[in-house]
Amino acid sequence: MSALPDATFSDRQNEVLQTALRLLVEGGEKALTTAALARTANCSKESIYKWFGDRDGLLASIVTYQASRVRVIDAAALPKTREQFAEALELFARDLLDVLLSESSLALNRLCVGTVRGDEPGVGAVLLDRGKRRIEDRARRLLEAGRSGGHIAFDDAGAAYRALYGLIIGDLHIRAMLGDGDAVSAISITDQARAAVAQFLTLYAPAGAGGSSQT
């Protein structure tokens, strides 16, 4: 199965973004400066500005890069059987768990949350726009294709996605954000993804397919 990319960065740009994430994990927000990134990634500050723009642009690119790691099967080439559709959902679920529970994503989320002031989202707006919403939009297209193929049934794609997301993540992300490493280490990502998808397919099974269709 082929997966849809969500970014058009070059290999070199990806390397620089990986370095930026490493700096963020190891030293926090203060460690992520243009000078430190240029030195550590062995590139010029001019190249960083050219590729990513200012600091907000760099953060937006980091979020986009992270979101691209959550693969979604191309809906146009969606497998025809329910079993193959389940495999596509499991791929999404495993990637989502891998990315959201990674040290780099947790550090990035903590940075974004720390910029929120009242009704002002700060850098959090970038995380919502370039991360969460892009992942959701792509996953919803997969769910729509699954409905078209008769594998699932729903009226509201947004509600179906939120149900899938909730079954996959539960409270794991917030617990990891708060430093509960035991919650993450205690799970098998493969088992968690498989169980979440099985529950979702039962919950949204078409009428007459043995599940409780959500319509």
Side-chain angles (χ1 to χ4, degrees):
M1 297 179 183
S2 61
L4 290 171
D6 195 38
T8 56
F9 301 121
S10 69
D11 290 343
R12 180 59 176 137
Q13 289 167 344
N14 283 334
E15 290 175 0
V16 173
L17 293 173
Q18 289 168 7
T19 300
L21 281 168
R22 188 170 71 251
L23 288 174
L24 187 59
V25 170
E26 294 174 352
E29 179 181 2
K30 292 181 179 179
L32 185 58
T33 66
T34 304
L37 180 56
R39 181 175 61 255
T40 308
N42 194 27
C43 68
S44 67
K45 290 194 291 185
E46 289 75 17
S47 292
I48 293 174
Y49 287 122
K50 177 181 178 181
W51 291 336
F52 310 118
D54 60 11
R55 179 179 172 80
D56 286 348
L58 174 61
L59 288 172
S61 296
I62 293 172
V63 173
T64 300
Y65 169 76
Q66 282 292 84
S68 74
R69 294 173 55 204
V70 182
R71 295 166 292 176
V72 177
I73 299 302
D74 187 345
L78 186 70
K80 295 182 179 180
T81 69
R82 193 169 188 267
E83 290 73 20
Q84 291 172 327
F85 178 62
E87 290 177 5
L89 290 178
E90 286 181 25
L91 172 68
F92 168 77
R94 289 194 304 272
D95 281 358
L96 187 65
L97 287 162
D98 272 331
V99 169
L100 288 186
L101 301 182
S102 68
E103 286 298 325
S104 53
S105 279
L106 292 173
L108 187 58
N109 274 263
R110 289 172 183 139
L111 183 157
C112 292
V113 169
T115 68
V116 176
R117 297 290 184 273
D119 293 333
E120 295 296 326
V123 182
V126 174
L127 187 65
L128 285 172
D129 182 58
R130 293 293 188 94
K132 186 177 184 299
R133 286 174 184 147
R134 288 195 177 192
I135 291 172
E136 178 177 351
D137 287 345
R138 292 160 58 222
R140 283 174 62 168
R141 289 198 294 271
L142 176 61
L143 295 180
E144 294 280 8
R147 179 172 62 176
S148 297
H151 308 311
I152 52 177
F154 57 82
D155 284 337
D156 186 335
Y161 172 76
R162 289 190 292 274
L164 176 63
Y165 185 95
L167 289 168
I168 295 169
I169 298 298
D171 67 348
L172 286 170
H173 190 230
I174 186 62
R175 291 175 67 178
M177 285 276 291
L178 295 175
D180 185 0
D182 291 341
V184 176
S185 62
I187 71 162
S188 160
I189 284 180
T190 297
D191 291 344
Q192 175 78 8
R194 183 178 296 120
V197 169
Q199 293 169 24
F200 177 79
L201 290 176
T202 298
L203 184 63
Y204 284 89
S212 55
S213 174
Q214 298 291 309
T215 60

